[in-house]
Every structure is written in C-alpha cells, then in structure tokens.
C-alpha cells in the first residue's frame, strides 16, 4: 500500500491558477531586477505580436505570465503606491524614462517600452497576459518603508490591495516560478 509520503502534494491556489490557463503556448517571464521589468513586458509583447503575425496564433493560444519579484516587485503596484511610497523608488534608483527623474508613477502602466506600440502593462494585459507579484518582496518593502516605528503589516496589506490589473500576489516570486514550471510553462 502507498504511504502518505508517496501521495501527490495537494494542489494550492497557485497550482489552480496556472492550471486554469489553457493556452497551449505557456510561458513565464521572470523579472527580478529593476531593468528586467521593461524587458519582461517587451518579451511578452513580442511573443504575442510575432506569434500572431508569423504563425497565426490567437490570444487564446497563449498563456503568458510576467512575474515581478525581488527588485522588480514595485512594477506590480499601482501608480498610487508609487506616489505614496517613494521610499522604494529611491532605494532602487528607479528613473522615469520620460522625466529622467526619480519615478513617481509606475511608468510601465503608461509608457510604451522602447517606443513599441502595445509594449506596456495595459497593452499586454489586453492580450490576456497575467502577472505574479512577489509576496516576500512586498513584505520586505513594507518593512523598509515602515522603519522601526511604522506599521509594516498595514503597508504590506495596502500594497497587496493595490496591484496592477491582472495581478495575483504569490507567497514569493520563486514559488510562482516553480508552480509555473510544474504546470508546463516555459521559463
């Protein structure tokens, strides 16, 4: 008889999320550094655009996730969080490509990456791209923003409640990457 140790692990919410994505072409773009966030958006846009143009794929044929983790995590938050908590922007040295100053907004929600049409968060979201946001990094940033006397739990909850459209908070970005690979996503 098989023991409990031989039983398959129980599916969790990330398994269910990735398993529910039915496009045959499954890929995750893992963005861990500030500079990798615009790249991940551009790569997702290019996959969708050129697969459609050259291979005839439709949006439903693709399951695409962009994961913002580690130092790219703030790209998973709305403009309101960037404006309210400039501390993580200055900590990471994020510069707005339009103003050339410290970013006061999530410019990927607005700017077309490298001037390419549709290469921004709303542009790729319109094609079904979803986003995983690192919960561990969110907790880290909340602690840094709170300092010794602030309420890190409150800031963490606020950040989690203000994710970009199409985003899901993962316990950690690396967990989302692992679950995506388990579900058959290329990395």
């Amino acid at each position: 008889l098989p023991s409990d140790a031989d039983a398959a692990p129980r599916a969790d919410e990330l398994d269910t999320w990735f398993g529910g994505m039915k496009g045959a072409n499954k890929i995750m773009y893992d963005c861990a550094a500030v500079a990798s966030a615009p790249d991940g958006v551009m790569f997702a846009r290019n996959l969708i655009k050129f697969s459609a143009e050259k291979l005839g794929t439709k949006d439903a044929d693709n399951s695409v996730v962009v994961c913002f983790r580690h130092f790219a995590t703030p790209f998973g938050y709305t403009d309101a969080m960037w404006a309210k908590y400039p501390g993580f922007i200055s900590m990471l040295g994020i510069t707005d490509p339009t103003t050339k100053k410290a970013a006061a907004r999530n410019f990927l929600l607005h700017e077309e990456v490298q001037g390419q049409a549709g290469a921004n968060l709303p542009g790729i979201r319109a094609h079904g791209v979803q986003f995983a946001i690192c919960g561990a990094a969110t907790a880290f940033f909340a602690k840094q923003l709170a300092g010794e006397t602030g309420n890190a739990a409150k800031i963490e909850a606020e950040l989690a409640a203000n994710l970009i459209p199409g985003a899901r908070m993962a316990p950690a970005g690396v967990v989302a990457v692992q679950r995506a690979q388990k579900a058959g996503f290329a990395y």
Side-chain angles (χ1 to χ4, degrees):
L1 291 176
S3 70
D4 287 344
D6 296 328
R10 185 175 356 153
D12 57 38
E13 69 179 61
L14 286 179
D15 290 322
T16 302
W17 183 47
F18 286 111
M21 295 181 206
K22 301 301 182 192
N25 306 310
K26 297 179 178 188
I27 190 161
M28 172 183 267
Y29 295 103
D30 181 22
C31 307
V34 170
S36 67
D39 288 344
V41 171
M42 180 62 89
F43 295 152
R45 178 260 188 192
N46 286 350
L47 175 88
I48 293 162
K49 176 181 173 44
F50 294 113
S51 293
E53 287 178 8
K54 306 296 184 186
L55 303 172
T57 61
K58 307 286 183 227
D59 288 347
D61 297 328
N62 301 311
S63 292
V64 181
V65 176
V66 176
C67 181
F68 295 122
R69 68 180 182 91
H70 201 55
F71 294 140
T73 301
F75 289 98
Y77 310 138
T78 63
D79 284 345
M81 296 299 92
W82 284 53
K84 184 170 183 178
Y85 297 113
F88 62 74
I89 305 307
S90 61
M91 179 187 340
L92 299 173
I94 301 174
T95 302
D96 188 308
T98 300
T99 66
K100 309 294 187 225
K101 296 179 181 176
R105 64 190 179 130
N106 184 345
F107 56 85
L108 292 179
L109 284 167
H110 309 278
E111 302 299 318
E112 308 239 298
V113 178
Q114 298 174 14
Q116 300 297 311
N120 58 27
L121 296 172
I124 62 174
R125 177 71 182 134
H127 292 280
V129 174
Q130 297 186 55
F131 308 98
I133 313 303
C134 183
T138 296
F140 170 81
F141 285 120
K143 272 184 160 176
Q144 298 303 307
L145 294 168
E148 290 185 24
T149 59
N151 186 338
K154 181 180 175 185
I155 295 170
E156 181 179 355
E158 185 178 21
L159 292 170
N162 285 278
L163 299 180
I164 58 175
R168 174 180 297 256
M169 184 71 71
V174 294
V175 174
V177 169
Q178 183 273 329
R179 291 303 196 280
Q181 290 175 330
K182 179 178 165 186
F185 281 69
Y187 174 76

